[in-house]
């Protein structure tokens, strides 16, 4: 049975281009298109689509307001169509917090050719959204909790860059990473993250996480030293690799060819961690479609690192963790809310008490 898609965008050109792109994708049927959320509301009732593609800036009702109402009253998979601007990235991240499954970046110039170049990617995202697990509300840590209150400081705090936490994610990963990182105490080992995200979005994503976390979160810069209490997000234009300079770990950015169709690639990060850190690292693969990261996580495990895969029940899309588990790359499988604690416990000296949230 085909996946029924409703397109919601105020641009007639974008509606036409998206209709042509999606209609050419196997297993996808465009059942309707709306120029604004008010009309879209009527079409949803009449056409009962499986997935909605949703623009942000539209007449009569803002896309975010419509998304918020939709997720409260009739939750369904939504893929945002967002412009490649700083405002576009801010609003898109807010949409993901509200419950959107994924997004596609709308180019600022030559929209028709730019969207057409990402036709297969859009088709994959629509298919993944159709089978995604929806959240009625964004994952959140109670406002009264600080990161240090959620997870106790490590009994013998680790201040050496010899210990590293390595994370990879894709679809659903922005919220999953937030759930993991807000639980990290200020004295956590250094953290490196590869999240599938285009240029222009990763810096905004890092700033947003930094405002929420007890650790310092930033977009990674080439050549900088990797420090404890810091999290380095792969920029959207480059692979993030772990390197060494003498006794110190450093960041290496590589703008080479995509790996598994992605740049940044989770496999690229995991393989560099396997080579540079071995058993001094813990790797975790989170929600996402495809198989990027599975082979790299296996390399980490084979080099002595402890490895974790997010469990199916807590994933938005179980693709990447499933592939890692199938390869026997994960030493353990855990629900999202336990991953921060399990990663930290590998380096704790002394017993950690159980945490009740």
């Amino acid at each position: 049975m085909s996946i029924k898609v409703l397109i919601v965008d105020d641009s007639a050109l974008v509606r036409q281009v998206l209709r042509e792109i999606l209609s050419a994708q196997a297993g996808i049927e465009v059942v309707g298109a709306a120029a604004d959320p008010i009309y879209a509301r009527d079409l949803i009732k009449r056409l009962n689509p499986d997935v909605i593609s949703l623009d942000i800036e539209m007449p009569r009702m803002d896309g975010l307001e419509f998304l918020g109402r939709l997720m409260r009253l009739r939750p369904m998979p939504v893929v945002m169509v967002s412009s490649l601007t700083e405002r576009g990235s801010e609003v898109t991240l807010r949409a993901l917090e509200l419950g959107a499954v994924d997004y596609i970046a709308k180019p600022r110039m030559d929209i028709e050719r730019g969207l057409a170049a990402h036709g297969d990617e859009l088709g994959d995202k629509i298919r993944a959204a159709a089978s995604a697990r929806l959240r009625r509300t964004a994952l959140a840590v109670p406002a009264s909790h600080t990161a240090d209150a959620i997870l106790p400081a490590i009994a013998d705090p680790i201040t050496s860059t010899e210990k590293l936490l390595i994370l990879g994610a894709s679809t659903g990963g922005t919220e999953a990473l937030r759930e993991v990182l807000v639980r990290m105490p200020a004295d956590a080992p250094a953290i490196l993250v590869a999240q599938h995200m285009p240029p222009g979005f990763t810096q905004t994503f890092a700033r947003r996480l930094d405002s929420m976390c007890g650790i310092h979160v930033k977009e990674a810069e080439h050549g900088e030293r990797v420090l404890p209490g810091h999290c380095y997000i792969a920029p959207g234009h480059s692979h993030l690799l772990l390197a060494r300079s003498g006794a110190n770990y450093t960041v290496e950015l590589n703008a080479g060819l995509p790996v598994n169709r992605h740049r940044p690639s989770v496999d690229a990060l995991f393989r560099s961690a396997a080579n540079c850190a071995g058993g001094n690292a813990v790797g975790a693969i989170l929600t996402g479609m495809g198989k990027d990261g599975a082979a790299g996580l296996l390399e980490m495990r084979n080099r002595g690192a402890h490895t974790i895969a997010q469990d199916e029940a807590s994933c938005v899309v179980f693709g990447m963790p499933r592939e890692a588990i199938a390869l026997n790359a994960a030493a353990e499988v855990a629900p999202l809310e336990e991953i921060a604690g399990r990663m930290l416990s590998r380096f704790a000296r002394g017993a950690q008490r159980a945490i009740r949230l």
Side-chain angles (χ1 to χ4, degrees):
M1 184 177 294
S2 295
I3 298 167
K4 298 186 295 182
V5 178
L6 174 66
I7 298 167
V8 186
D9 198 295
D10 67 333
S11 166
L13 173 62
V14 172
R15 292 197 303 273
Q16 177 187 340
V17 172
L18 289 177
R19 182 185 287 273
E20 292 173 355
I21 290 171
L22 291 174
S23 296
Q25 292 286 316
I28 294 176
E29 176 189 2
V30 177
V31 294
D36 63 69
I38 304 301
Y39 183 39
R41 182 182 58 192
D42 296 334
L43 289 182
I44 290 170
K45 295 176 182 176
R46 180 155 52 89
L47 301 173
N48 193 29
D50 300 309
V51 180
I52 293 177
S53 77
L54 179 63
D55 190 16
I56 291 175
E57 296 181 354
M58 290 180 293
R60 302 179 72 186
M61 184 185 294
D62 179 81
L64 280 186
E65 182 182 353
F66 175 65
L67 176 65
R69 294 185 183 187
L70 184 69
M71 299 312 289
R72 287 195 304 272
L73 302 174
R74 185 173 175 172
M76 61 190 310
V78 175
V79 175
M80 304 302 296
V81 180
S82 175
S83 59
L84 274 170
T85 64
E86 183 169 351
R87 166 164 166 72
S89 60
E90 288 275 7
V91 176
T92 300
L93 290 172
R94 177 57 184 152
L96 295 172
E97 290 179 358
L98 288 171
V101 174
D102 209 339
Y103 62 95
I104 191 80
K106 184 194 299 182
R108 284 174 286 181
M109 300 179 65
D110 199 354
I111 290 177
E112 184 173 3
R113 184 177 299 176
L115 285 174
H118 295 283
D120 289 342
E121 179 187 3
L122 179 57
D124 288 344
K125 291 188 175 189
I126 293 292
R127 293 185 195 95
S131 60
R133 289 173 177 79
L134 300 182
R135 294 173 290 104
R136 284 186 175 271
T137 57
L139 292 168
V141 173
S144 61
H145 289 175
T146 65
D148 288 339
I150 294 164
L151 284 176
I154 296 171
D156 183 2
I158 293 168
T159 57
S160 169
T161 55
E162 286 299 309
K163 309 300 181 183
L164 298 166
L165 308 180
I166 314 293
L167 291 158
S170 183
T171 311
T174 56
E175 292 305 288
L177 286 166
R178 179 164 72 101
E179 177 80 353
V180 173
L181 295 178
V182 296
R183 296 170 185 269
M184 292 291 176
D187 63 354
I191 304 167
L192 280 74
V193 173
Q195 159 73 40
H196 295 161
M197 189 172 279
F201 280 67
T202 45
Q203 189 172 59
T204 303
F205 179 49
R207 284 200 307 265
R208 196 175 189 87
L209 287 174
D210 188 57
S211 70
M212 301 173 179
C213 297
I215 56 174
H216 177 46
V217 184
K218 67 185 299 291
E219 186 180 60
E221 298 177 56
H222 183 72
E224 69 180 317
R225 184 178 169 186
V226 174
L227 299 171
H230 289 63
C231 174
Y232 304 87
I233 306 291
H237 53 70
S238 297
H239 299 300
L240 171 61
L241 307 177
L242 180 66
R244 294 198 78 113
S245 177
N248 299 317
Y249 290 120
T250 60
V251 165
E252 180 181 327
L253 300 183
N254 184 306
L257 293 174
V259 175
N260 297 323
R261 294 170 52 190
H262 296 288
R263 188 180 63 218
S265 162
V266 180
D267 262 338
L269 173 59
F270 283 176
R271 283 170 175 155
S272 70
N275 291 332
C276 283
N280 285 320
V282 174
I285 191 164
L286 307 181
T287 175
M289 65 179 176
K291 64 178 183 180
D292 188 35
L297 195 71
L298 179 60
E299 289 189 29
M300 288 187 68
R301 187 176 188 186
N302 289 340
R303 294 293 294 270
H306 185 71
T307 54
I308 305 170
Q310 185 179 344
D311 73 355
E312 183 174 6
S314 64
C315 280
V316 173
V317 177
F318 190 49
M320 285 164 47
R322 179 195 289 115
E323 294 291 333
I325 293 166
L327 286 178
N328 198 30
E332 61 176 320
V333 179
L336 179 61
E337 65 271 16
E338 295 181 13
I339 286 178
R342 295 198 186 198
M343 295 184 85
L344 289 170
S345 70
R346 303 303 301 184
F347 296 138
R349 301 184 184 96
Q352 294 245 359
R353 60 183 177 84
I355 306 299
R356 286 185 179 271
L357 298 183

